Amino acid sequence: MPAVEETVERVKEIDVDKYKYGFSTDIESVKAPKGLNEDIVRFISAKKEEPEWMLEWRLEAYKRWRTMTEPTWAKVHYPKIDFEDLYYYAAPKSTEGPKSLDEVDPELLRTYEKLGIPLKEQEVLAGVQGAPKVAVDAVFDSVSVVTTFRDELAKAGVIFCSISEAVKDHPDLVKKYLGSVVPVTDNFYATLNSAVFSDGSFVYVPEGVRCPMELSTYFRINAENTGQFERTLIIADKGSYVSYLEGCTAPMRDENQLHAAVVELVALEDAEIKYSTVQNWYPGDAEGKGGVYNFVTKRGDCRGDRSKISWTQVETGSAITWKYPSCILRGHGSRGEFYSIAISNGYQQVDSGTKMIHLGRDTSSRIISKGIAAGFSDNTYRGLVSAHRRATNARNFTCCDSLLIGNRCGAHTVPYIEAKNASATFEHEATTSKISDDQLFYCLSRGLSEEEAVALIVNGFVRDVLQQLPMEFMAETQKLIGISLEGSVG
Amino acid sequence: MLEIKNLHAKVDGREILNGLDLTLPAGEVHAIMGPNGSGKSTLSYVLAGNEDYEVTEGSITWNGEDLLDMEPDERAAAGVFLAFQYPMEIPGVATMTFLRSAVNAVRKARGEEEFSTPDFLRTVKEKAKQLQIDIEMLRRPLNVGFSGGEKKRNEILQMSLLEPGLCILDETDSGLDIDALRIVSDGVNALRSPERSMLVITHYQRLLNYIVPDRVHVLSQGRVARSGGPELALELEKSGYAEYGQDEASAA
């Protein structure tokens, strides 16, 4: 790729001074030059004061990434990304954000208002200059709550910190598990993430411990933005249990258009991990411009016998979503679950689903996917259920329901089913329906506005999945569903 | 007061209402009878504002306001309520949730406070009891798997919660056995008041034994062919709709 190399060279030349300067300056004021090369990877690692092994790991990934090509099999369309025109390390946008809320997209502000978010927090979410540089959620919760929370976790022996801290403080655990579920070479975006990941969460729950509370990124004390290449690693040791919540119902504005996160879950014998996500990145303006591209690799490994991993996701944001939280059912008697609500409106494109890979005996999995397409959007469920030769008595139940609102959107279901063991039992159910005019009229004649009626009907449609969400997310999510579908009828 | 003047309405390009005039004063209950296809249900949908029905001529005013100028939800806020002949099912939405959303939407539109959860529950329980509705039924998804009687009682429950000024009952008696008919009629009668007008649409005289109307109008070919007191219904019971055209057999 001579063109790429040329760009790399040029970038090096132009920015070499600035780049050196970067090493000794405060994080707030630096930004690595555009484009990606080994030096940028070294720079990121140095910024994070990482040990040598971590740097080596990143460089390995980088080299591999250079040999890979972007996948094109998903049913999403977008202009080709110029990976040399991106920043791979940028300090929190102190100079890029809007100067005040007056400069923020009024639509976004209207949404904040509907969700009842106070002004100060709106500034943080919208990335206004000078707003506090803390994780959004730390703003909501007082410091004392966070401290109490940390104490309680420490008492239980649960490690919950940023992945950067874990690299320094718990190298053995990180070395053992990082990349063990999503290998460095897994796919284009995951490999890119491995080379340049910014930050994310690390959780270790020791043997036999039931984590005393729902772990949430809400509570993570992290003065830095996690950035566009988030990396999360959760390990549940033998017989332990943990429930982790990721995301935020408030729409997050981000200057970074490309997001490529990696989440790895490891459940050892008899352990259980429940991972819930509410994703509401900026979907773009009315024409679909400027929205986030969300290319995520999420995978859980039921490594131990009788272990269980359950994914619940609510996807409402992003211009493009490419995401397949999966389970490798390696342990005998292990169980994987995937509950998903994916809503697309405007010009959003969603290609999401799951993979249930049955390797062990008596493994079972369950997939409940609810896709709602409105406006001009495209909503695809793509899933794989496979039983390995040795996966005796593997069982799967899949239910994919799509709901269409209006007649300019699309819903697609692409299920792949492979059974290499004759004893496997796989069930697949799928429906596609539309909100009928009669249903709408019935609601309107009872005084509900068209938007309220749609929100109500859709909330009914996704009820089975909503019930899987932790209580604190449920009410917010119901509200969010209504907001996501505004303007979808009439 | 409801005033309908020279109402013409089409559905799928076919004219169903053809110069209908009707005046319904406050506090009165009027029955609308007539053979199949005479325009009874069309009238109810036009009053509630269903978009499939196109008004081509004439006017409808409700307490001096132009009803045709309002969206269905605005009509609900203004006090118009239609008890559907075939209530819609909404899977996954608990009946209780639906009731609460509707009541609060209407209260908000009328400038009243939304119900608090305890107040709402108390009100629903009280009204449900009058209609012999089991609270367990209200936890089920709206109208999904409801029996005919449950659906109709649920309609009347909504009517009593939304406190409308104009109640339109579209063949509320269809599909009801005699016990359910009595319960539903008692529920409707309990809502009769000097401020409330009711339009009871029915094919059969039977319902009018329970809900005794002040006036009876017979519809034929999209207009009022005859009006009279409650005795008119009894007369129809004997003579059938033969002289009103179309459906000769159904006055049994």
Side-chain angles (χ1 to χ4, degrees), chain A residues 436-439 441-450 452 456-461 463, chain B residues 49-50 72-73 76 81-82 84 88-93 98 101-102 105-106 143 155 158:
Chain A
S436 76
D437 289 345
D438 289 341
Q439 278 178 326
F441 175 64
Y442 188 70
C443 294
L444 294 185
S445 78
R446 297 300 181 252
L448 298 172
S449 70
E450 210 155 60
E452 286 168 325
L456 192 78
I457 294 170
V458 172
N459 268 304
F461 175 72
R463 198 167 84 129
Chain B
N50 190 319
D73 53 326
F81 181 92
L82 169 62
F84 282 63
M88 296 306 300
E89 299 184 355
I90 304 187
V93 176
F98 180 79
S101 307
V106 164
N143 291 323
E155 291 293 290
Q158 292 176 44

Side-chain angles (χ1 to χ4, degrees), chain A residues 173-195:
Chain A
L173 285 171
V174 176
K175 268 189 216 170
K176 186 168 174 191
Y177 292 106
L178 189 72
S180 74
V181 185
V182 178
V184 169
T185 55
D186 193 78
N187 70 74
F188 186 82
Y189 301 113
T191 306
L192 176 63
N193 174 290
S194 300

Side-chain angles (χ1 to χ4, degrees), chain B residues 52-212:
Chain B
D52 296 343
Y53 296 79
E54 189 196 348
V55 174
T56 51
E57 212 183 321
S59 67
I60 306 175
T61 55
W62 165 241
N63 293 337
E65 284 186 272
D66 180 4
L67 208 57
L68 294 175
D69 205 28
M70 298 162 124
E71 295 295 325
D73 53 326
E74 293 168 337
R75 297 185 197 199
V80 177
F81 181 92
L82 169 62
F84 282 63
Q85 184 181 359
Y86 303 109
M88 296 306 300
E89 299 184 355
I90 304 187
V93 176
T95 304
M96 197 71 106
T97 307
F98 180 79
L99 294 176
R100 191 169 174 199
S101 307
V103 168
N104 281 336
V106 164
R107 288 179 75 98
K108 211 164 75 187
R110 290 178 188 161
E112 297 165 23
E113 285 246 339
E114 290 187 16
F115 266 127
S116 69
T117 306
D119 284 349
F120 173 74
L121 284 176
R122 197 176 318 116
T123 310
V124 171
K125 277 184 186 159
E126 201 177 287
K127 299 199 187 255
K129 201 173 160 192
Q130 289 168 5
L131 289 160
Q132 301 188 24
I133 292 175
D134 192 355
I135 288 297
E136 193 275 325
M137 180 187 113
L138 301 180
R139 298 203 180 99
R140 281 150 54 191
L142 184 67
N143 291 323
V144 178
F146 282 25
S147 70
E150 284 175 326
K151 282 185 183 171
K152 295 300 168 77
R153 274 185 281 162
N154 190 24
E155 291 293 290
I156 304 307
L157 174 62
Q158 292 176 44
M159 189 162 105
S160 82
L161 281 166
L162 295 178
E163 302 183 326
L166 173 62
C167 305
I168 307 153
L169 289 88
D170 188 6
E171 306 218 8
T172 296
D173 49 338
S174 69
L176 291 189
D177 63 28
I178 201 77
D179 292 325
L181 184 64
R182 188 175 292 121
I183 294 165
V184 166
S185 303
D186 287 350
V188 173
N189 284 328
L191 291 171
R192 288 176 85 147
S193 88
E195 296 84 39
R196 192 166 279 148
S197 309
M198 292 188 184
L199 211 51
V200 180
I201 295 170
T202 181
H203 208 80
Y204 303 111
Q205 191 272 336
R206 188 179 67 158
L207 176 68
L208 305 181
N209 288 335
Y210 297 94
I211 305 171
V212 181

Side-chain angles (χ1 to χ4, degrees), chain A residues 214-247:
Chain A
E214 310 258 4
L215 291 185
S216 158
T217 45
Y218 274 34
F219 288 104
R220 195 180 56 219
I221 311 169
N222 179 7
E224 214 180 324
N225 274 359
T226 48
Q228 62 204 74
F229 301 104
E230 191 164 351
R231 184 100 199 181
T232 296
L233 176 59
I234 298 176
I235 303 136
D237 212 326
K238 288 176 191 167
S240 68
Y241 168 83
V242 62
S243 167
Y244 185 88
L245 320 184
E246 169 204 51

Side-chain angles (χ1 to χ4, degrees), chain A residues 192-369:
Chain A
L192 176 63
N193 174 290
S194 300
V196 299
F197 70 84
S198 29
D199 213 335
S201 299
F202 175 83
V203 179
Y204 173 78
V205 190
E207 190 171 337
V209 170
R210 191 177 169 87
C211 188
M213 62 198 61
E214 310 258 4
L215 291 185
S216 158
T217 45
Y218 274 34
F219 288 104
R220 195 180 56 219
I221 311 169
N222 179 7
E224 214 180 324
N225 274 359
T226 48
Q228 62 204 74
F229 301 104
E230 191 164 351
R231 184 100 199 181
T232 296
L233 176 59
I234 298 176
I235 303 136
D237 212 326
K238 288 176 191 167
S240 68
Y241 168 83
V242 62
S243 167
Y244 185 88
L245 320 184
E246 169 204 51
C248 187
T249 48
M252 297 268 277
R253 172 111 211 180
D254 202 296
E255 297 300 323
N256 300 314
Q257 199 174 27
L258 173 67
H259 279 251
V262 172
V263 176
E264 295 179 277
L265 311 181
V266 181
L268 301 182
E269 259 169 58
D270 298 300
E272 180 177 346
I273 301 174
K274 189 172 159 62
Y275 193 103
S276 314
T277 308
V278 174
Q279 184 269 114
N280 191 17
W281 294 104
Y282 186 57
D285 61 15
E287 275 90 49
K289 286 188 189 120
V292 165
Y293 297 174
N294 196 24
F295 301 140
V296 187
T297 305
K298 289 186 166 176
R299 197 172 303 155
D301 190 355
C302 287
R303 206 163 283 183
D305 293 349
R306 297 168 304 278
S307 57
K308 179 178 166 187
I309 288 177
S310 172
W311 297 98
T312 305
Q313 62 170 18
V314 179
E315 299 284 316
T316 66
S318 297
I320 297 173
T321 303
W322 182 99
K323 183 180 171 190
Y324 317 90
S326 305
C327 296
I328 299 167
L329 303 168
R330 196 184 306 274
H332 300 308
S334 62
R335 178 168 174 83
E337 291 174 354
F338 175 75
Y339 300 98
S340 170
I341 298 170
I343 299 175
S344 55
N345 196 0
Y347 286 88
Q348 284 177 276
Q349 305 171 55
V350 180
D351 195 304
S352 183
T354 185
K355 286 188 272 186
M356 293 291 172
I357 315 286
H358 293 257
L359 300 178
R361 286 192 311 272
D362 302 315
T363 48
S364 63
S365 60
R366 180 180 170 86
I367 298 169
I368 309 286
S369 165

Side-chain angles (χ1 to χ4, degrees), chain A residues 17-87:
Chain A
D17 290 340
K18 206 162 134 200
Y19 172 54
K20 277 182 191 155
Y21 178 68
F23 278 107
S24 56
T25 334
D26 181 68
I27 279 180
E28 294 291 318
S29 60
V30 293
K31 179 186 260 181
K34 272 185 181 177
L36 189 53
N37 54 48
E38 268 193 32
D39 285 340
I40 298 282
V41 175
R42 286 179 196 282
F43 174 79
I44 293 168
S45 188
K47 267 290 164 202
K48 297 180 158 302
E49 296 166 4
E50 287 176 353
E52 189 61 26
W53 61 267
M54 194 69 247
L55 173 63
E56 288 305 320
W57 197 81
R58 286 177 181 274
L59 287 172
E60 197 56 44
Y62 169 74
K63 279 179 203 141
R64 186 66 182 222
W65 181 72
R66 275 292 171 210
T67 69
M68 299 167 92
T69 47
E70 226 180 316
T72 53
W73 45 260
K75 191 176 164 49
V76 292
H77 303 278
Y78 52 92
K80 198 158 170 47
I81 300 168
D82 182 355
F83 287 90
E84 298 307 331
D85 194 38
L86 297 176
Y87 289 105

